[in-house]
Amino acid sequence: MASTPVSKKQKTSKDAPYELIYWPGLPGRGEHVRLALEEAGASYTDSAHLEDGMKLVLSHIDTKNLGDAANPPPLAPPILKHGDLIINQTPNILLYLGPRLGLVPKAEDDEDGIYKVNELALTALDGLSNEAHDTHHPIATGQYYEDQKEEAKKKSADYIKNRIPKFLGYFERVLKGEASKGGKWLYGGEVTYADLVLFQCLDGVKFAFPKAVGRMEKEGKFKSVFEHYERVKERPKIKAYLASERRQKYSLGIYRHYAELDED
Ligand SMILES: N[C@@H](CCC(=O)N[C@@H](CS)C(=O)NCC(=O)O)C(=O)O
């Protein structure tokens, strides 16, 4: 393969702190990045806790921003800045951080492991984050929930009946599968960022639909998934983070609790 011309190489100082740029005031998709950084004990700044955090986010997604010589402009947060590198898209950020934070298998032990971890994270984000958002905004992201309540009710009923069980059932199989290497973690017998993503997604869905998910937990069909959730929650650094002020409360983001959308 031809080597990259020096002028096109991205300079990234490994000593630079990670900078998470995300809307202040809610966990949102930024939480997946935070959990990875927290689990690894990495030092990072978070616009959620900076005085001008909102301005910083807006400056990156400003329609006048054309990016720079090496970085296209981001469309939406979360955004990660690391030295001269600026990237966005949650799973893309995790793909970048995974090897740096020790949250994917080492390439020398498992060359393709990173792609397995990424597929698991993408699957959790598809079904338990993106689709969870669509339950309260099934028609238009730019319109109020109140203007699409009827459709949201229908969407949520289907989400509870068909989609949550489908995705929890999938992760139940993953944890029972041989590639999990023992069923403690999703892949390869060690914690990876996919475990953190699934934890955060399930935490959000539990918040949004406490009755439906509570019932599913009691029924015992997805026992391994709920045990996995508790296992992630009890990891010392995650536990300390969740108890800290850095962990923000759910608000008007992806995961919203509207009692009328939950089951009776
Ligand atoms: N696929 C992107 C979605 C990014 C995204 O939708 N970000 C939200 C906040 S969680 C946002 O600000 N969206 C603005 C918009 O879509 O107009 C990712 O995973 O990062």
Side-chain angles (χ1 to χ4, degrees), residues 22-23 28-30 75-78 88-91 130 141 254:
Y22 191 76
W23 301 117
R29 288 181 174 90
L75 179 83
N88 73 324
Q89 288 286 358
T90 312
N130 298 335
T141 306
I254 300 168

Side-chain angles (χ1 to χ4, degrees), residues 98-196:
R100 287 167 176 81
L101 301 180
L103 290 173
V104 292
K106 285 199 176 75
E108 58 265 36
D109 301 336
D110 181 357
E111 196 186 346
D112 299 328
I114 189 166
Y115 305 108
K116 321 285 174 63
V117 171
N118 197 41
E119 89 186 4
L120 293 164
L122 287 165
T123 303
L125 291 168
D126 276 353
L128 301 172
S129 176
N130 298 335
E131 287 195 28
H133 169 272
D134 293 348
T135 59
H136 51 78
H137 276 75
I139 301 295
T141 306
Q143 283 174 15
Y144 292 111
Y145 162 65
E146 286 70 20
D147 297 330
Q148 42 196 315
K149 255 176 125 168
E150 250 176 63
E151 293 88 350
K153 182 72 194 149
K154 283 189 198 150
K155 183 87 180 168
S156 299
D158 179 69
Y159 188 62
I160 290 169
K161 183 164 183 268
N162 297 311
R163 301 302 284 173
I164 301 180
K166 179 162 188 163
F167 282 84
L168 296 190
Y170 169 71
F171 284 109
E172 188 73 19
R173 283 193 284 132
V174 170
L175 287 164
K176 291 201 167 101
E178 207 183 321
S180 77
K181 299 277 180 288
K184 212 169 153 194
W185 308 112
L186 291 173
Y187 179 74
E190 307 262 2
V191 74
T192 68
Y193 69 74
D195 295 294
L196 307 177

Side-chain angles (χ1 to χ4, degrees), residues 57-68 71-75:
V57 175
L58 293 171
S59 70
H60 277 275
I61 63 169
D62 193 306
T63 50
K64 289 192 200 77
N65 179 21
L66 302 180
D68 61 30
N71 300 289
L75 179 83

